């Protein structure tokens, strides 16, 4: 029996909607684009590793900036950035927050996320979050945070099927 070898392909391109293979995620992508156009509201993405959550947050930030809007991306996993996080005044019209599940059970991070959601909402800005699993499976301690997170329109990102992965590889090769 022969083993299948995988290729380590890591193209150094910037994440954008044009190089994201949509698969079964067209509705979520359109919702993200609408969020950017409207410049307000709250949208949440969730899905397993490899479904493209981070790619889509970067793509949203890039699209927002191309439309002359300020946009911010940060991940809850970036402790260095979070320690230097000064406030919410100049985050732009779109705020993208990745890996929000990592805040669950951590009071300071949950408070930070809660305050960010509140400030973004009060300022009429757009908020796009990503989580590795549905909110109901996260063990957030703050009931107020959970209620704010549940306000968002949520989209489950679907991983690519084997056939879609082949098409995605062809797209990457063309680029």
């Amino acid at each position: 029996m022969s083993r299948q070898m995988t290729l380590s392909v890591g193209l150094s391109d910037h994440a954008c909607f044009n190089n994201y293979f949509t698969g079964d995620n067209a509705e979520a992508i359109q919702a993200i684009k609408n969020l950017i156009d409207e410049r307000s509201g709250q949208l949440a993405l969730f899905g397993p590793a490899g479904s493209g959550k981070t790619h889509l947050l970067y793509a949203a930030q890039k699209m927002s900036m191309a439309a002359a809007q300020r946009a911010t991306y940060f991940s809850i996993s970036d402790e260095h950035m979070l320690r230097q996080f000064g406030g919410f005044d100049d985050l732009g019209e779109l705020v993208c927050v990745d890996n929000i599940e990592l805040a669950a059970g951590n009071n300071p991070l949950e408070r930070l996320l809660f305050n960010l959601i509140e400030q973004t909402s009060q300022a009429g800005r757009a908020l796009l979050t990503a989580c590795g699993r549905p909110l109901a499976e996260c063990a957030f301690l703050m009931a107020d945070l959970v209620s704010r997170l549940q306000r968002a329109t949520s989209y489950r990102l679907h991983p690519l099927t084997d056939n879609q992965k082949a098409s995605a590889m062809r797209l990457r090769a063309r680029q």
Side-chain angles (χ1 to χ4, degrees):
M1 176 179 248
S2 66
R3 287 182 55 206
Q4 181 178 3
M5 295 180 62
T6 59
L7 295 174
S8 177
V9 177
L11 301 177
S12 76
D13 55 10
H14 298 284
C16 64
F17 290 110
N18 290 339
N19 62 15
Y20 178 82
F21 190 82
T22 305
D24 297 325
N25 298 311
E27 186 178 353
I29 292 169
Q30 187 58 54
I32 295 168
K33 290 177 179 179
N34 292 343
L35 180 74
I36 294 165
D37 288 343
E38 294 167 10
R39 298 182 185 197
S40 68
Q42 189 177 343
L43 194 98
L45 307 174
F46 70 93
S51 59
K53 299 177 300 291
T54 300
H55 185 112
L56 290 174
L57 266 62
Y58 281 138
Q61 179 189 28
K62 186 175 183 179
M63 182 180 193
S64 183
M65 291 168 53
Q69 299 176 32
R70 291 175 324 203
T72 303
Y73 166 89
F74 69 91
S75 172
I76 296 294
S77 66
D78 187 353
E79 293 180 31
H80 175 72
M81 191 285 310
L82 292 175
R83 281 194 298 273
Q84 296 186 11
F85 194 63
F88 309 110
D89 295 334
D90 196 28
L91 296 179
E93 287 80 17
L94 174 68
V95 180
C96 302
V97 186
D98 207 352
N99 301 305
I100 65 168
E101 71 274 15
L102 299 177
N106 181 317
N107 264 341
L109 289 179
E110 285 195 23
R111 174 74 45 204
L112 175 83
L113 188 55
F114 173 80
N115 290 336
L116 175 67
I117 293 169
E118 281 296 293
Q119 290 292 326
T120 302
S121 175
Q122 290 173 9
R125 296 180 181 137
L127 178 67
L128 177 61
T129 60
C131 188
R133 56 187 178 269
L135 279 177
E137 296 177 15
C138 297
F140 289 107
L141 301 174
M142 291 178 58
D144 287 341
L145 173 60
V146 172
S147 72
R148 297 319 184 274
L149 289 169
Q150 288 175 340
R151 289 181 187 170
T153 303
S154 293
Y155 289 91
R156 180 183 188 282
L157 294 181
H158 304 279
L160 299 178
T161 65
D162 287 340
N163 288 338
Q164 291 169 335
K165 287 177 186 175
S167 296
M169 291 294 289
R170 284 190 293 277
L171 170 67
R172 297 286 293 207
R174 281 192 305 271
Q175 294 178 345

